[in-house]
Amino acid sequence: MIGKFSFKALVITLGFLALSTTSVKALEWKASCGSKYSNWFGTYTFHVKQGEVGGCPSDKKAQHSWKFSERSEVKSKGRIAVGQYKWSAIIDIERNCKPAYRNTLFQVHDASYMVAPPSWFGINGFNKFRTSENRFSDVDVPNGPFELVALLDIKKTSIKVDYYVNGDYVTSTHDKNGPYKELFLKFGTYRVNSNCDITQKYTKVRFNKQ
């Protein structure tokens, strides 16, 4: 009897610890600005047609060299607190034309309107990776699925993000415009001055506190 009760107590304890760990690390995702997307057993698929205006109010406004923005994204539920985190995913991009002038793949957002978020990572019109702080880089986008890793160091008044592709360091951003209103993450496709339809798939999406 003692052995049975001990085993039962051990199972309950391990289950509680696993649940607690998962609740700390897991993030739930929801549509951003009414975006249409699919999530089939952890595979997030975003499809945007050329000329299809996104659902956020700012997407309808002309800015710089573009008249509107296209968008299909998800955003994290709840607020991201101060701390160190790791976000990662395998990204597969399907399009039959040259890249858009700017296509954002991942964002650290603070709910500001018509203001650049603290950090984002994407692709420029030359099919090279770029960020919110650097329009150009020397790193070409792989011809096939690739792993994107973002290491976040969030403080009250600053956010530093290191970006890696297929295990290799690409670049960093360091925003010092805090304190921040409400931090959350976004991924999907958010682009301007596109040249054709696009489909982006994200698999093995992970978010962990370090």
Side-chain angles (χ1 to χ4, degrees):
M1 293 295 292
I2 295 177
K4 290 183 179 179
F5 279 114
S6 299
F7 178 75
K8 183 177 180 180
L10 177 61
V11 171
I12 293 174
T13 301
L14 291 175
F16 174 77
L17 290 174
L19 179 62
S20 299
T21 302
T22 302
S23 64
V24 170
K25 295 181 179 180
L27 268 187
E28 293 185 44
W29 305 94
K30 63 179 181 179
S32 173
C33 298
S35 292
K36 295 180 180 179
Y37 72 99
S38 66
N39 177 12
W40 181 252
F41 293 102
T43 296
Y44 294 82
T45 302
F46 307 90
H47 180 73
V48 173
K49 295 182 178 179
Q50 183 186 18
E52 189 174 66
V53 181
C56 289
S58 60
D59 294 339
K60 300 176 179 62
K61 296 184 178 295
Q63 302 180 60
H64 308 291
S65 65
W66 54 90
K67 296 181 179 179
F68 58 86
S69 302
E70 302 168 358
R71 182 192 306 267
S72 178
E73 295 178 304
V74 293
K75 61 181 291 187
S76 58
K77 294 183 179 180
R79 181 177 298 180
I80 306 297
V82 169
Q84 295 180 325
Y85 303 90
K86 177 182 178 180
W87 179 92
S88 62
I90 304 297
I91 304 175
D92 188 10
I93 301 174
E94 300 175 11
R95 68 168 186 275
N96 295 315
C97 63
K98 63 177 295 187
Y101 174 77
R102 186 203 69 215
N103 180 22
T104 304
L105 308 177
F106 170 82
Q107 298 186 58
V108 181
H109 216 289
D110 67 343
S112 296
Y113 179 68
M114 298 293 289
V115 177
S119 182
W120 60 260
F121 185 87
I123 299 170
N124 66 20
F126 300 99
N127 206 36
K128 294 180 181 293
F129 291 116
R130 61 159 297 184
T131 68
S132 49
E133 298 179 1
N134 183 5
R135 295 184 180 182
F136 304 96
S137 77
D138 296 327
V139 182
D140 293 319
V141 177
N143 185 23
F146 59 89
E147 180 188 40
L148 173 62
V149 173
L151 299 181
L152 292 71
D153 185 5
I154 300 176
K155 296 181 170 61
K156 289 184 178 180
T157 58
S158 68
I159 298 176
K160 184 175 185 293
V161 185
D162 298 326
Y163 291 103
Y164 296 79
V165 171
N166 290 337
D168 295 325
Y169 173 77
V170 177
T171 188
S172 299
T173 63
H174 196 179
D175 184 89
K176 300 178 182 179
N177 295 316
Y180 303 97
K181 181 180 178 181
E182 179 185 354
L183 290 176
F184 55 88
L185 307 182
K186 301 177 76 173
F187 67 87
T189 178
Y190 169 45
R191 62 184 193 161
V192 296
N193 289 349
S194 66
N195 298 292
C196 64
D197 299 351
I198 191 171
T199 298
Q200 285 181 195
K201 294 182 179 180
Y202 290 67
T203 56
K204 298 183 179 180
V205 179
R206 302 286 186 269
F207 180 73
N208 299 283
K209 188 169 185 179
Q210 301 294 285

